[in-house]
Amino acid sequence: QVQLVESGGGSVQAGDSLRLSCVGSGRTFSDYCIGWFRQAPGKEREFVAGVSWTAGRTNYADSVKGRFTISKNNAESTAYLQMNSMKPEDTAVYSCAASALNFTAEAQYDYWGRGTQVTVSS
């Protein structure tokens, strides 16, 4: 199995940027696709972005297209979520997850990190 640890969350103003990191350990990182998800208070968890095994393909939720960029560095066993032009509605706990099968919102993600809080104030 793979263990995932997120970092990089914090409190920012609307329009600012943040970069989240997801470090994997325990298994070969390139064996997995990585997805970023978020959950705001009182809301269901939602898919944000996904990246394929070798980072050749990506997938984004409509709400973040053009603002967020997902990437993956297998040599560093790390995936990133670069968040630009942030909005108050981006406020949530962000978690990364690993799937051996796919990088879409509907994929089965078997391993999850604990998450990191992102707060965007207006």
Side-chain angles (χ1 to χ4, degrees):
Q1 62 180 18
V2 61
Q3 293 79 42
L4 302 171
V5 178
E6 304 94 339
S7 63
S11 297
V12 297
Q13 299 285 325
D16 285 352
S17 299
L18 270 180
R19 189 177 78 158
L20 305 182
S21 299
C22 171
V23 178
S25 62
R27 289 288 299 270
T28 303
F29 204 61
S30 58
D31 286 347
Y32 298 92
C33 302
I34 296 296
W36 281 99
F37 293 78
R38 66 187 182 186
Q39 186 166 19
K43 295 187 177 181
E44 292 188 355
R45 184 173 62 198
E46 64 172 346
F47 173 83
V48 175
V51 60
S52 63
W53 302 263
T54 57
R57 292 179 291 166
T58 57
N59 187 26
Y60 294 94
D62 288 342
S63 59
V64 305
K65 279 181 182 176
R67 300 189 299 121
F68 290 11
T69 302
I70 189 171
S71 60
K72 188 173 185 267
N73 186 325
N74 286 326
E76 296 180 352
S77 296
T78 303
Y80 301 95
L81 185 68
Q82 177 67 44
M83 304 184 292
N84 298 330
S85 302
M86 297 185 71
K87 305 175 181 180
E89 50 264 44
D90 295 322
T91 296
V93 174
Y94 284 71
S95 301
C96 62
S99 170
L101 301 178
N102 213 328
F103 57 101
T104 63
E106 297 77 22
Q108 178 180 331
Y109 290 88
D110 294 316
Y111 306 104
W112 292 81
R114 289 193 169 187
T116 184
Q117 176 70 45
V118 171
T119 303
V120 185
S121 55
S122 57

